[in-house]
Amino acid sequence: MKPWQPLRDELAAWRRAGHSATLWWRNDGVGAPEPALERLLALAQAHSVPLALAVIPARASRELRGLMPSYPRFHLLQHGIEHKNRAPPPNAPLELGGPGAPQSLLIGLAGAHARLQALGSRRTLPVLVPPWDRLDARMVDLLAQLGYRGLS
C-alpha cells in the first residue's frame, strides 16, 4: 500500500458523503528561521495551504516576526514552555505534568504564551501543542482557565 493511500481513501469517503475536510500543516519545534522552515513556508504559500508553526516559546526568536509580512498564511501555536523533559526516568518524556501541583506549570504556560503574543499577537492562536504529544490529564481542564481554546 502506498503511504498516502489511507488518507486518500478517507478523503474519498468524505467526498462520497458530501463532506470536505479542512487540512493544515503543522511544523513542530520552531525557534528561529532556518532554510528548511523558509522552504516550508514558501511551499505552503505557493499552494495556499495554511501552516501552523508550533513554536517553543523559550527558543522563539524575534526573527520569526520578520517572516510574517512575506508569508501571511502561517500562525503560531504554543509548543510547551521550554521543550524540557520533566519526567523522571524511566518514564516517557513529559514537559507538562508529572508529580506535584500543576500551578507552577500554569504560570510557566502563561508566561510562555505572553512571549509568543509579543512576537505576533494576531498570528498567535490560543492552541497548545504539548511536546512529545503528551500532557498530564490534570492539565487539560485547567487550560481553558488560561484562555486556550485548542489542544493539538
Side-chain angles (χ1 to χ4, degrees):
M1 180 179 286
K2 296 178 184 176
W4 290 96
Q5 195 58 50
L7 177 60
R8 287 185 181 106
D9 294 345
E10 183 66 24
L11 293 174
W14 281 43
R15 272 192 304 277
R16 286 190 301 274
H19 302 294
S20 64
T22 300
L23 304 176
W24 49 274
W25 295 342
R26 187 182 96 192
N27 183 29
D28 288 1
V30 175
E34 59 183 21
L37 173 60
E38 292 186 48
R39 282 192 306 274
L40 179 63
L41 289 166
L43 185 62
Q45 183 168 313
H47 295 283
S48 298
V49 175
L51 177 64
L53 301 181
V55 177
I56 302 168
R59 299 180 195 164
S61 73
R62 294 203 176 278
E63 287 79 20
L64 283 175
R65 185 183 328 179
L67 294 175
M68 291 181 185
S70 298
Y71 302 102
R73 295 189 59 88
F74 78 84
H75 288 86
L76 307 178
L77 308 181
Q78 184 176 342
H79 196 40
I81 301 168
E82 301 172 281
H83 207 292
K84 179 180 175 183
N85 181 15
R86 291 175 170 39
N91 296 327
L94 178 68
E95 179 179 45
L96 303 174
Q103 276 65 31
S104 64
L105 288 175
L106 294 176
I107 293 168
L109 283 170
H113 188 74
R115 182 176 168 96
L116 287 186
Q117 285 286 111
L119 279 179
S121 61
R122 290 185 298 236
R123 297 279 191 100
T124 302
L125 301 180
V127 176
L128 180 65
V129 180
W132 303 287
D133 296 323
R134 299 185 71 236
L135 177 68
D136 189 314
R138 298 176 299 162
M139 298 288 295
V140 174
D141 292 335
L142 300 173
L143 294 176
Q145 295 174 21
L146 291 176
Y148 292 99
R149 297 293 173 253
L151 187 59
S152 177

